[in-house]
Structures are given as C-alpha cells and as structure tokens.
C-alpha cells in the first residue's frame, strides 16, 4: 500500500466510560512534521487507489485477441470486488460505541509514496460524546519500509 501512497493505521478504541460515544472517522487525520494534513480516505478512495487496472486487461486483449481479454476482464473484476470487500471489512466504521465496549479497525491515509519516516508525524481522531468532538492526538514514529522490487535478470527472462 505504501508504494501506492496509502498508509494504513490500525486503531483500537475502548469506551471505558459510563456513556456511549460516537466515533467520527471524519474527525481523523494524520499530519506530517510541517503540519500538512491528510484526512482518512473513504472506502472508494482506497479502492480506486489499490484496485487492479482494467487498462492492463486491454493489453491482454491486444496480445491474445478477444479470447484473452474476456477471461482477464472477468478475473480483474472479481479480484477488485474481493479487494473492496476486504477493505470494507477491516476499516474503522463511524458509529455509536456503547459504554464499556471496544472497537477496532484500520484507517487509510494518503501519503507521499517516498516518505521514509513517520517520526514527528501525528495521528488525530475525534470522539463525540455530547455534540462536540474530543480529540485524541498520538505521535507517530518509525521507518516506512518501501517494498522491494526484484529486478528480473536476463537469465530469468530467458527461463520464462
């Protein structure tokens, strides 16, 4: 996801109070050391950023004619629907959190894919108890490991 400019942040919330509260994902954002903010991405935004491209399918159509393009298009559509369902399942949801309960999920944020460190970044999320959001602010730390892209050697190309 990092290579696509998407930072997943796992969030766990315990409402230890006596009253319910409302979790508003719209209150969540991350900020870089220069205070540039990025709001939590919607399901559609994450899906659009990470889904497999139908344009790749066109390449199969050119290479193998219609018989190559049809199975590829069906496979891409099926895979993309599974990806979307997976993200929907794991995302932190807006909603009422009853007293003495717990919820967790993942929020996704757009970041520059070249970010190497989260030191001095902050994560902020608001919990609404009585019509006004109360913000929790957390410092982020750590290195962002970029995916390793293996270069195919000429010998490996010949083996294919």
């Amino acid at each position: 996801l990092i290579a696509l400019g998407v930072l997943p942040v796992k969030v766990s919330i315990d409402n230890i109070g006596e009253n319910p509260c409302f979790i508003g994902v719209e209150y969540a954002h991350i900020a870089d050391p220069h205070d540039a903010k990025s709001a939590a991405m919607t399901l559609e935004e994450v899906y659009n950023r990470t889904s497999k491209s139908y344009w790749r399918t066109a390449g199969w159509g050119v290479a193998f004619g219609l018989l190559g393009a049809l199975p590829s298009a069906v496979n891409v559509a099926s895979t993309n629907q599974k990806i979307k369902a997976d993200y929907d399942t794991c995302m932190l949801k807006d909603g009422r959190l009853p007293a003495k309960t717990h919820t967790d999920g993942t929020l996704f944020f757009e970041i520059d894919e070249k970010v190497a460190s989260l030191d001095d970044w902050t994560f902020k999320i608001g919990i609404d108890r009585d019509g006004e959001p109360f913000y929790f602010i957390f410092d982020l730390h750590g290195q962002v490991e970029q995916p390793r892209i293996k270069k195919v050697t000429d010998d490996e190309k010949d083996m294919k």
Side-chain angles (χ1 to χ4, degrees), residues 3-158:
L4 299 171
V6 177
L7 176 70
V9 176
K10 179 74 172 174
V11 179
S12 181
I13 301 172
D14 290 307
N15 182 1
I16 59 173
E18 299 297 323
N19 298 312
C21 63
F22 179 81
I23 299 168
V25 173
E26 71 271 13
Y27 301 136
H29 71 262
I30 59 171
D32 70 13
H34 306 290
D35 205 32
K37 294 176 177 58
S38 174
M41 298 171 74
T42 66
L43 174 62
E44 288 300 319
E45 290 170 330
V46 175
Y47 171 72
N48 289 338
R49 181 70 64 92
T50 60
S51 62
K52 289 191 172 190
S53 169
Y54 284 98
W55 291 109
R56 281 187 243 162
T57 302
W60 287 107
V62 170
F64 296 105
L66 188 58
L67 292 177
L70 289 177
S72 182
V74 169
N75 185 36
V76 167
S78 173
T79 300
N80 284 343
Q81 289 309 310
K82 289 176 186 174
I83 288 169
K84 189 172 186 178
D86 286 346
Y87 287 132
D88 187 41
T89 300
C90 76
M91 288 181 87
L92 183 68
K93 307 289 190 281
D94 280 330
R96 185 175 179 273
L97 184 61
K100 309 277 187 214
T101 60
H102 168 87
T103 190
D104 59 30
T106 303
L107 293 175
F108 298 89
F109 298 92
E110 184 175 351
I111 63 166
D112 184 329
E113 54 271 357
K114 294 180 182 116
V115 167
S117 171
L118 294 177
D119 291 343
D120 300 321
W121 285 59
T122 57
F123 167 68
K124 184 175 180 180
I125 188 165
I127 307 296
D128 190 334
R129 287 194 182 256
D130 299 311
E132 292 290 323
F134 176 81
Y135 288 97
F136 294 93
I137 301 171
F138 302 92
D139 292 331
L140 300 177
H141 301 283
Q143 301 303 307
V144 176
E145 186 172 327
Q146 298 296 330
R148 295 185 185 130
I149 300 172
K150 182 182 179 213
K151 292 184 179 179
V152 178
T153 66
D154 288 336
D155 291 338
E156 290 172 322
K157 287 178 188 174
D158 291 339

